[in-house]
Amino acid sequence: MRLSQMLFVTLREDPAEAEIPSHKLLLRGGYIRRIGSGIYAYLPLMWRVLQKVSQIVREEMNTAGGQECLLPQLQPSDLWKESGRWDTYTKAEGIMFSLTDRQERELGLGPTHEEVITTVAKEMIRSYRQLPVNLYQIQTKFRDEIRPRFGLMRGREFIMKDAYSFHASQESLQESYEAMDKAYRNIISRCGLAFRAVEADSGAIGGSASQEFMILAEAGEDEVLYTEDGKYAANVEKAVSLPIDAEISPFKKYEKKETPGTDTIEKLCKFLQCSPTNIVKNVLYKVVYDSGQMVLVLVSIRGDQVVNEVKLTNELVRLAPNYKAKTILVLGVPDETEQQKWAAKPLPLGYIAPDLEDGYIDKVKDVIPKFLRLVDQTAVELKNFVTGANENGYHVVGANWDKEFKLPSLVVDIRKATIGDRAIHDPTQILENARGIEVGHIFQLGIKYSQAMGATFTNEAGEENPMIMGCYGVGVSRLAQAAVEQSYDKDGIIWPVAIAPYHVVIIIPNISDKEQIEVAENIYTQLNKIGVETLLDDRDERAGVKFKDADLIGIPYRIVTGRSLKSGKVEVVERSTKKSQEIAIEEVVTTLKSWVNSAQN
Amino acid sequence: MRLSQMLFVTLREDPAEAEIPSHKLLLRGGYIRRIGSGIYAYLPLMWRVLQKVSQIVREEMNTAGGQECLLPQLQPSDLWKESGRWDTYTKAEGIMFSLTDRQERELGLGPTHEEVITTVAKEMIRSYRQLPVNLYQIQTKFRDEIRPRFGLMRGREFIMKDAYSFHASQESLQESYEAMDKAYRNIISRCGLAFRAVEADSGAIGGSASQEFMILAEAGEDEVLYTEDGKYAANVEKAVSLPIDAEISPFKKYEKKETPGTDTIEKLCKFLQCSPTNIVKNVLYKVVYDSGQMVLVLVSIRGDQVVNEVKLTNELVRLAPNYKAKTILVLGVPDETEQQKWAAKPLPLGYIAPDLEDGYIDKVKDVIPKFLRLVDQTAVELKNFVTGANENGYHVVGANWDKEFKLPSLVVDIRKATIGDRAIHDPTQILENARGIEVGHIFQLGIKYSQAMGATFTNEAGEENPMIMGCYGVGVSRLAQAAVEQSYDKDGIIWPVAIAPYHVVIIIPNISDKEQIEVAENIYTQLNKIGVETLLDDRDERAGVKFKDADLIGIPYRIVTGRSLKSGKVEVVERSTKKSQEIAIEEVVTTLKSWVNSAQN
């Protein structure tokens, strides 16, 4: 492609809308344009990158036994009502765009395709002899994000590869899951990126085992905890660990103490001269289920620990059937207006005891919430602990479970693992952390969807069972931007060769110099002919502008037909290292060909 | 691919939902599944066809100077309000799905991308030096069709290639338009299909010149009129012609006649013993513009002619500025309830005179419509004509314009051309007709969008002008189904080699015969290695089932490793001709390779 004929406009200044380097660089380099909040046009250079990533994904999926298809983006609400996700996706979380057609039928814009593919499988698959099957598609997906940001990282319209597998047995699912794990590692490696595979929370998709693939980069929205020995890595949402040991409590005797102005753990420790590990902290949450049921949840956890709300949500979803509900619409701390609806008197915030319900929850008011107590494992083990006294400005010390306070029956792990914790697999290993960009996620779904939607098969014994499912996603457009986030310098993008929009850019410093043009045109034609994708900067611009643009858009190799022509050579610069060398004109084509090839192996 | 491992399910019976052969065959062959009204899943075989069509489109677009990109499907309503199409597309015609996001902002689901691309061009293009530019994308589009039908032919979600070009001059647009014309002809020819390029109406897209590419097939929704000499072809919506000459009127004297029960042209001719060409027929339409203005339009046309409502609409849109409107929301015949709002007395339907307004339109009623008269050229030329007397059961005969009736000032061409008419370019040529499936449409848009949206550039003289635009669409998924509609037999689909999902299917008649398996596996491996895309039917099914399935899914060549193995040969059958021959095992790979290659050149 000749730059003179391309829609190619670069910006010198960082656009105001961009917050992270990759977003700025893609805008400045003319790769993308914003059309609306979280909605971008992929311009020709970007489209080439996306096509390359897609092709790598396609090849690895095919190798792993996937069959490519394309499912509709418009999805009838009926399917989502069958699986039970319509309300969660369109109302509770509201991440699915929905609309009504001219017949007033409800449709959703697919953020994911479990419902559609399960319907297809249900209609087409009857027997174990047709299993396993793995179908995938590369497609634009939609999510009405609360806070679209970072360009393609968290857009409302984005490109995904999603795959779905169907199995007659858990062993078969396990095999596919492992094949996908391998395919995902290959995809990211072939794109030239550093990543980490981590244990993950399964979230609203559901299922048991799940693993994420994280591109390591400072601007990553996710936190990863891992051990140096390489044996443990998990998303902080999911991570488990051994917390540090609690110190021995300095309080041997149970008593109520006046502790004025100690509504935080830090202030309390200072006042009482004790460790945060001596304290049982009690946090109140308001939960609203999709059935309309409201529940107040009091979580007791050791004072130095933080509640992991993802884990808490999972526990509460597990309890949902008790409330004739499937999912949670609201999880939050009840504010004052909220409290007035059901509190008998103002809550002693900062001084709540593990038995807050006695006296504070007015059971005769209009809204009578269910009250639920959860205790984290870290709090269960404490002896002679400090905790709130249910009275402003007062705590109790030297308390014990089942003496002063009844131990809640629901003992759970809802603490947030953190850097510095000891690993469970080997307590000598200490958790470290890193920031990551999630570009892939694989799930063992089990029978969640097939059971709900009646997608069954007949097994060898003639019995009808729901198919066992897996699902596997790669964020194609996100991965492309993550590559930039992992690889850039002050001058611009440094594309890995495998996904660069072009391999080589040839710069003609002076477009009125016939020799420069002739040599450049010649190399340009030869390189493209042998599959080295080459741009020719034949614009009527100053050489300096051309060099700056080449650096900004990050083409791996730059050929300059400048002064060195006198000695029968061209200058060749590697973008990543900025190393420059002169190569004989007659050798440059084969040299570049071999560089490009070896960079992709 | 091995059929045993593929999600491959064929149906013996025609599905009830399908009306035309291609739709039935794609459903029966396991190519597509219906997910909702006008919404289909493209299963792996179909996806391969679509990928092949897309690749041919891509290559031809690149050759013609196009640059591939991808624009968002979610489009902010602001852009469509700027161009003035939001109301037409979401309300009047209602073909654009629209929705509101969690911030209550309106978005449309792109049926076309003039607004988005014009915005991109406006932001990026400043100077004539950046022009011309041609951007294209291959993308899923959405239309909330009133009557989705025929599978992929008229779906609500479908795959399009759309291209948009920007120019500094009309000459440059003309060049691109011609390059696109050529590219489109190449695309359809390379897909192996018979087509006709025809003059077309530009419809809601707007612009001046426009041409459609029609795949000829009986089930086509469009009617094409053409001449044998190949010099004229047009969509019936757009076609012009010379009508047959009018006969000389038998009525020399003007008089009012009682003509009971003659509310159709046929009855009237019989009663009066005259020709339909002696009659001026007056048809009343009710028009509602987007400004809310309602207009009654009385169209006078020669009795043997039919009003072409597409042409009528175009005339009325041309008049829209008079009514502070841009477009028409309703065009229809006013019914009785409607009439009661403004008619002074019941209208003499079937007996309307060219001056209906006098006496029948009650100007003091609540709704006072504007009244407009249009006369078609065919009616203007009549002398001593017959027409309605504005009184039930009465006509007048021997009438003349500007004697008994004032000739309307708006003389227009709104007659429907029809088979048997004489061609304008050569009156000895008679129009013939054919059914076609529109798979491509190219438009010279001019400055409709660039002017409305302020997409200007600075020309060589330093003046700022709106860019001149063209737009060009190919219905990728529609083309794929049209191929089937043009090429099938009683046993199934007959794919052209270039877009067949696979080139060859190898059938093992007896999968417990080791020799059959070995030979088949060997040929299968070799063919795929050299790029002949081959399916292996290794299913545990009867040979008859396999033959039926192969015919149904329409793979161009079938290899059977059956009885002929004894003589060192395999049977090879060509799907289109059903011709069978035996080919030596060691020669079959090179033979097939050469067949497949030559079929695509």
Side-chain angles (χ1 to χ4, degrees):
Chain A
M1 186 83 207
R2 291 162 193 279
L3 272 184
S4 64
Q5 287 171 18
M6 194 165 139
L7 180 61
F8 180 69
V9 178
T10 56
L11 309 174
R12 288 284 155 260
E13 304 297 325
D14 281 340
E17 65 180 276
E19 298 148 273
I20 58 172
S22 55
H23 188 195
K24 289 177 192 167
L25 291 171
L26 289 178
L27 283 167
R28 283 186 49 206
Y31 280 85
I32 57 175
R33 300 291 296 196
R34 183 179 178 278
I35 301 297
S37 168
I39 300 172
Y40 288 84
Y42 307 121
L43 297 176
L45 285 177
M46 191 72 213
W47 185 241
R48 290 180 70 94
V49 174
L50 292 170
Q51 289 283 75
K52 290 192 175 190
V53 175
S54 296
Q55 187 53 30
I56 290 170
V57 169
R58 183 171 284 131
E59 287 168 13
E60 293 296 333
M61 292 307 293
N62 291 347
T63 302
Q67 295 169 48
E68 192 170 358
C69 64
L70 189 69
L71 304 172
Q73 293 172 299
L74 281 175
Q75 305 188 1
S77 61
D78 297 354
L79 301 184
W80 288 72
K81 284 172 182 167
E82 253 183 75
S83 73
R85 290 205 295 181
W86 180 255
D87 285 341
T88 322
Y89 270 68
T90 60
K91 298 189 191 97
E93 302 185 3
I95 53 166
M96 182 154 75
F97 289 103
S98 62
L99 56 122
T100 53
D101 67 11
R102 61 165 77 234
Q103 318 281 5
E104 298 296 327
R105 286 170 300 209
E106 286 175 315
L107 296 163
L109 274 182
T112 177
H113 279 71
E114 283 80 8
E115 280 77 2
V116 172
I117 197 75
T118 305
T119 300
V120 170
K122 173 184 172 176
E123 291 176 8
M124 296 184 77
I125 298 171
R126 297 267 173 274
S127 155
Y128 72 96
R129 299 201 307 160
Q130 294 171 276
L131 297 173
V133 158
N134 185 334
L135 289 165
Y136 76 96
Q137 56 175 350
I138 299 172
Q139 183 189 49
T140 296
K141 299 259 189 279
F142 304 92
R143 282 176 68 102
D144 194 1
E145 293 283 353
I146 296 175
R147 212 181 138 202
R149 56 179 175 162
F150 302 157
L152 312 186
M153 289 289 192
R154 189 164 290 282
R156 299 201 296 167
E157 180 171 339
F158 53 95
I159 303 174
M160 283 271 300
K161 184 284 297 175
D162 47 330
Y164 306 89
S165 66
F166 295 87
H167 307 270
S169 68
Q170 175 64 30
E171 295 68 49
S172 170
L173 168 60
Q174 188 66 36
E175 268 174 40
S176 268
Y177 187 78
E178 282 161 22
M180 286 295 116
D181 175 40
K182 192 170 161 224
Y184 276 40
R185 290 170 192 266
N186 290 348
I187 288 166
I188 307 175
S189 300
R190 284 183 59 189
C191 288
L193 304 174
F195 71 99
R196 206 176 271 280
V198 306
E199 283 178 22
D201 180 67
S202 296
I205 300 285
S208 51
S210 112
Q211 185 172 272
E212 287 170 341
F213 296 83
M214 296 281 188
I215 303 291
L216 302 176
E218 273 173 38
E221 287 189 289
D222 284 283
E223 185 183 350
V224 170
L225 294 172
Y226 65 95
T227 55
E228 269 298 317
D229 66 1
K231 289 186 182 152
Y232 186 75
N235 189 315
V236 69
E237 291 179 343
K238 169 80 176 181
V240 291
S241 64
L242 300 172
I244 55 168
D245 288 336
E247 291 183 25
I248 290 176
S249 171
F251 307 103
K252 307 294 168 210
K253 210 181 95 200
Y254 178 74
E255 59 180 321
K256 179 171 167 183
K257 289 202 170 202
E258 189 170 4
T259 54
T262 59
D263 56 356
T264 66
I265 297 291
E266 199 187 346
K267 290 179 196 162
L268 180 61
C269 289
K270 201 166 168 191
F271 186 90
L272 288 178
Q273 293 289 310
C274 69
S275 154
T277 63
N278 300 140
I279 300 169
V280 170
K281 176 168 71 175
N282 305 294
V283 190
L284 188 66
Y285 285 94
K286 170 197 163 192
V287 178
V288 181
Y289 285 99
D290 58 343
S291 60
Q293 179 65 58
M294 178 181 149
V295 180
L296 288 179
V297 179
L298 187 65
V299 173
S300 298
I301 192 168
R302 205 173 75 185
D304 63 322
Q305 300 296 319
V306 173
V307 175
N308 177 331
E309 293 191 358
V310 173
K311 290 184 180 178
L312 174 60
T313 300
N314 289 342
E315 291 297 337
L316 294 169
V317 167
R318 215 159 293 160
L319 292 164
N322 297 344
Y323 304 109
K324 291 180 184 155
K326 284 185 171 171
T327 184
I328 292 173
L329 301 191
V330 178
L331 174 72
V333 175
D335 65 14
E336 231 169 88
T337 336
E338 180 62 47
Q339 289 172 30
Q340 282 168 6
K341 295 183 193 157
W342 41 258
K345 48 189 177 183
L347 300 188
L349 295 180
Y351 304 90
I352 292 176
D355 58 358
L356 174 77
E357 67 272 36
D358 305 333
Y360 280 94
I361 310 302
D362 186 344
K363 308 241 160 125
V364 298
K365 287 227 175 175
D366 270 14
V367 182
I368 303 170
K370 298 268 178 189
F371 195 89
L372 189 72
R373 287 170 61 195
L374 295 180
V375 60
D376 184 72
Q377 188 61 46
T378 51
V380 174
E381 293 154 5
L382 294 191
K383 305 211 179 307
N384 296 319
F385 55 78
V386 176
T387 196
N390 268 355
E391 187 178 345
N392 274 321
Y394 287 88
H395 282 88
V396 297
V397 301
N400 284 284
W401 293 115
D402 290 335
K403 216 168 143 194
E404 289 80 17
F405 299 101
K406 194 169 170 335
L407 182 67
S409 58
L410 294 165
V411 177
V412 289
D413 168 19
I414 46 174
R415 63 177 280 274
K416 197 167 174 180
T418 184
I419 184 170
D421 286 349
R422 290 163 300 155
I424 288 178
H425 75 280
D426 175 357
T428 67
Q429 290 283 324
I430 301 302
L431 295 191
E432 309 197 24
N433 76 346
R435 304 299 302 181
I437 301 164
E438 182 204 332
V439 296
H441 201 161
I442 61 178
F443 296 86
Q444 293 194 16
L445 284 179
I447 58 170
K448 174 173 170 172
Y449 297 91
S450 51
Q451 191 165 53
M453 302 182 79
T456 58
F457 72 103
T458 308
N459 69 12
E460 279 190 81
E463 300 151 348
E464 201 160 321
N465 287 317
M467 293 180 245
I468 300 170
M469 291 174 61
C471 79
Y472 319 91
V474 169
V476 170
S477 44
R478 184 187 278 186
L479 187 150
Q481 184 174 329
V484 178
E485 198 60 42
Q486 195 175 77
S487 178
Y488 66 92
D489 64 16
K490 65 178 177 31
D491 297 320
I493 299 169
I494 303 171
W495 286 113
V497 174
I499 60 173
Y502 290 89
H503 302 128
V504 173
V505 55
I506 303 173
I507 289 181
I508 306 171
N510 177 357
I511 67 144
S512 53
D513 182 323
K514 279 192 186 159
E515 193 192 356
Q516 289 190 7
I517 295 174
E518 196 187 324
V519 173
E521 290 276 355
N522 200 1
I523 298 172
Y524 172 66
T525 309
Q526 285 187 59
L527 282 174
N528 277 316
K529 198 184 277 176
I530 58 171
V532 177
E533 299 163 20
T534 303
L535 270 179
L536 180 64
D537 193 347
D538 57 345
R539 293 176 299 164
D540 183 8
E541 292 282 0
R542 284 180 300 109
V545 169
K546 296 184 182 185
F547 293 141
K548 272 209 162 65
D549 279 342
D551 280 351
L552 176 60
I553 66 172
I555 307 300
Y557 304 106
R558 179 212 299 174
I559 298 176
V560 186
T561 58
R563 268 176 232 139
S564 56
L565 291 188
K566 279 180 211 148
S567 47
K569 293 179 174 177
V570 289
E571 187 194 14
V572 181
V573 184
E574 190 181 40
R575 174 66 186 88
S576 59
T577 58
K578 296 269 180 104
K579 261 191 230 156
S580 160
Q581 55 188 297
E582 296 192 345
I583 297 182
I585 295 171
E586 60 273 18
E587 281 168 22
V588 70
V589 170
T590 49
T591 305
L592 265 297
K593 171 82 178 169
S594 74
W595 288 1
V596 166
N597 284 353
S598 66
Q600 289 183 85
N601 290 331
Chain B
M1 187 83 206
R2 290 161 194 280
L3 272 184
S4 64
Q5 288 171 17
M6 194 164 141
L7 181 59
F8 180 69
V9 178
T10 57
L11 310 174
R12 287 286 153 259
E13 304 299 324
D14 281 341
E17 65 180 277
E19 298 147 272
I20 57 172
S22 55
H23 187 195
K24 289 177 192 169
L25 291 171
L26 290 177
L27 283 167
R28 283 186 48 206
Y31 280 85
I32 57 175
R33 298 294 295 198
R34 183 179 179 278
I35 301 298
S37 169
I39 300 173
Y40 288 83
Y42 308 120
L43 297 175
L45 285 177
M46 191 73 215
W47 184 240
R48 290 180 69 95
V49 174
L50 292 170
Q51 290 281 77
K52 290 192 175 189
V53 174
S54 298
Q55 187 54 29
I56 290 171
V57 169
R58 183 171 285 130
E59 287 168 14
E60 293 296 332
M61 291 307 295
N62 291 347
T63 301
Q67 295 169 48
E68 192 170 357
C69 65
L70 189 69
L71 304 172
Q73 294 172 297
L74 281 175
Q75 305 188 2
S77 60
D78 297 356
L79 302 184
W80 287 72
K81 286 173 182 166
E82 253 184 74
S83 74
R85 290 205 296 181
W86 180 255
D87 285 341
T88 322
Y89 269 69
T90 60
K91 298 188 191 96
E93 304 186 0
I95 54 165
M96 182 154 77
F97 290 104
S98 62
L99 56 121
T100 53
D101 67 11
R102 60 165 77 234
Q103 318 281 5
E104 298 296 325
R105 286 171 299 209
E106 287 175 312
L107 295 162
L109 274 182
T112 178
H113 279 72
E114 283 80 9
E115 281 77 2
V116 172
I117 197 75
T118 305
T119 301
V120 169
K122 173 184 173 175
E123 291 177 7
M124 296 185 77
I125 297 172
R126 298 265 173 275
S127 155
Y128 72 96
R129 300 202 308 159
Q130 294 170 276
L131 296 173
V133 159
N134 185 334
L135 290 166
Y136 76 96
Q137 56 176 350
I138 299 172
Q139 183 190 50
T140 295
K141 299 257 188 282
F142 305 92
R143 280 176 70 100
D144 194 0
E145 292 284 353
I146 296 176
R147 209 180 140 203
R149 55 180 174 161
F150 302 157
L152 312 186
M153 289 288 190
R154 189 163 291 281
R156 299 203 295 169
E157 181 171 339
F158 52 95
I159 302 174
M160 284 271 299
K161 184 285 296 175
D162 47 330
Y164 306 89
S165 66
F166 295 87
H167 307 271
S169 68
Q170 176 64 30
E171 295 69 48
S172 169
L173 167 61
Q174 188 64 37
E175 269 175 40
S176 268
Y177 187 77
E178 282 162 21
M180 287 293 117
D181 175 40
K182 191 170 162 222
Y184 275 40
R185 290 170 192 267
N186 290 348
I187 288 166
I188 307 176
S189 301
R190 285 182 59 190
C191 288
L193 303 175
F195 71 99
R196 204 177 272 278
V198 305
E199 283 179 21
D201 180 69
S202 296
I205 299 285
S208 51
S210 110
Q211 184 172 269
E212 285 170 343
F213 296 83
M214 296 281 187
I215 302 291
L216 301 176
E218 273 172 39
E221 286 190 289
D222 284 284
E223 185 184 349
V224 170
L225 293 172
Y226 65 95
T227 54
E228 268 298 314
D229 66 1
K231 288 186 182 152
Y232 186 74
N235 190 316
V236 69
E237 291 179 344
K238 170 80 176 180
V240 290
S241 64
L242 300 171
I244 55 168
D245 288 335
E247 292 181 25
I248 291 178
S249 173
F251 307 103
K252 306 295 168 210
K253 206 182 100 203
Y254 178 75
E255 59 181 320
K256 179 171 166 183
K257 289 203 171 200
E258 188 171 4
T259 53
T262 59
D263 57 355
T264 66
I265 296 292
E266 199 187 345
K267 290 179 197 163
L268 181 59
C269 288
K270 203 166 165 188
F271 186 90
L272 288 178
Q273 293 290 309
C274 69
S275 154
T277 62
N278 300 140
I279 300 170
V280 170
K281 176 167 70 176
N282 306 293
V283 191
L284 188 66
Y285 285 94
K286 170 196 163 194
V287 178
V288 180
Y289 284 99
D290 57 344
S291 59
Q293 179 66 58
M294 177 179 149
V295 180
L296 288 181
V297 179
L298 187 65
V299 172
S300 298
I301 190 167
R302 204 173 75 185
D304 63 323
Q305 300 295 320
V306 173
V307 175
N308 177 332
E309 293 191 357
V310 172
K311 289 185 180 178
L312 174 61
T313 300
N314 289 343
E315 290 299 336
L316 293 169
V317 167
R318 214 160 292 160
L319 292 164
N322 297 344
Y323 304 108
K324 292 181 183 155
K326 284 185 171 169
T327 183
I328 291 173
L329 301 191
V330 177
L331 172 73
V333 175
D335 63 14
E336 231 169 89
T337 335
E338 181 63 46
Q339 290 172 29
Q340 283 169 5
K341 294 184 193 154
W342 40 258
K345 46 190 175 182
L347 301 188
L349 295 180
Y351 304 89
I352 293 178
D355 58 357
L356 174 76
E357 67 272 36
D358 305 333
Y360 280 95
I361 310 302
D362 186 345
K363 308 240 159 126
V364 298
K365 287 229 173 174
D366 271 14
V367 182
I368 303 170
K370 298 268 180 190
F371 194 89
L372 190 70
R373 287 170 61 195
L374 294 181
V375 60
D376 183 73
Q377 188 62 43
T378 51
V380 174
E381 293 154 6
L382 294 191
K383 305 213 178 306
N384 297 318
F385 56 78
V386 176
T387 195
N390 267 355
E391 186 178 346
N392 275 320
Y394 287 88
H395 282 88
V396 296
V397 302
N400 283 286
W401 294 115
D402 290 335
K403 214 166 145 199
E404 288 81 16
F405 299 102
K406 193 170 171 332
L407 182 70
S409 58
L410 294 166
V411 177
V412 290
D413 168 20
I414 46 175
R415 63 177 278 275
K416 197 168 173 179
T418 182
I419 183 170
D421 286 348
R422 290 165 299 155
I424 288 177
H425 75 280
D426 175 356
T428 68
Q429 290 283 325
I430 302 302
L431 294 192
E432 307 196 25
N433 76 345
R435 305 300 302 180
I437 300 164
E438 182 205 333
V439 297
H441 201 161
I442 60 178
F443 297 85
Q444 294 194 17
L445 284 179
I447 58 170
K448 173 172 169 171
Y449 297 91
S450 52
Q451 191 166 52
M453 302 182 77
T456 59
F457 72 104
T458 308
N459 69 13
E460 279 190 81
E463 300 151 348
E464 203 160 321
N465 287 318
M467 293 180 245
I468 299 170
M469 290 174 61
C471 80
Y472 320 91
V474 169
V476 171
S477 44
R478 182 186 280 187
L479 187 150
Q481 184 174 331
V484 178
E485 198 59 41
Q486 197 174 75
S487 177
Y488 67 91
D489 64 15
K490 65 176 178 29
D491 297 320
I493 299 169
I494 303 171
W495 286 113
V497 174
I499 61 173
Y502 290 89
H503 302 129
V504 175
V505 55
I506 303 173
I507 290 181
I508 306 172
N510 178 358
I511 68 144
S512 53
D513 181 326
K514 278 190 185 159
E515 193 192 355
Q516 288 191 8
I517 295 174
E518 197 187 324
V519 173
E521 289 276 354
N522 199 2
I523 298 172
Y524 172 67
T525 309
Q526 286 185 61
L527 283 174
N528 276 316
K529 198 184 275 173
I530 58 171
V532 177
E533 299 164 19
T534 304
L535 271 179
L536 180 64
D537 193 346
D538 57 345
R539 293 176 300 164
D540 184 7
E541 293 281 1
R542 284 180 300 110
V545 169
K546 296 184 180 184
F547 293 140
K548 272 211 162 64
D549 279 342
D551 280 350
L552 176 59
I553 66 173
I555 307 301
Y557 305 106
R558 178 212 299 175
I559 298 176
V560 186
T561 58
R563 269 177 230 137
S564 57
L565 291 187
K566 279 179 210 146
S567 48
K569 293 180 173 175
V570 290
E571 187 195 11
V572 181
V573 184
E574 191 182 39
R575 174 67 185 87
S576 58
T577 59
K578 295 271 180 102
K579 262 191 232 156
S580 161
Q581 57 187 295
E582 295 193 344
I583 297 181
I585 295 171
E586 58 275 17
E587 281 167 22
V588 71
V589 170
T590 48
T591 305
L592 265 298
K593 172 82 178 169
S594 74
W595 289 0
V596 166
N597 284 354
S598 66
Q600 289 183 86
N601 289 333

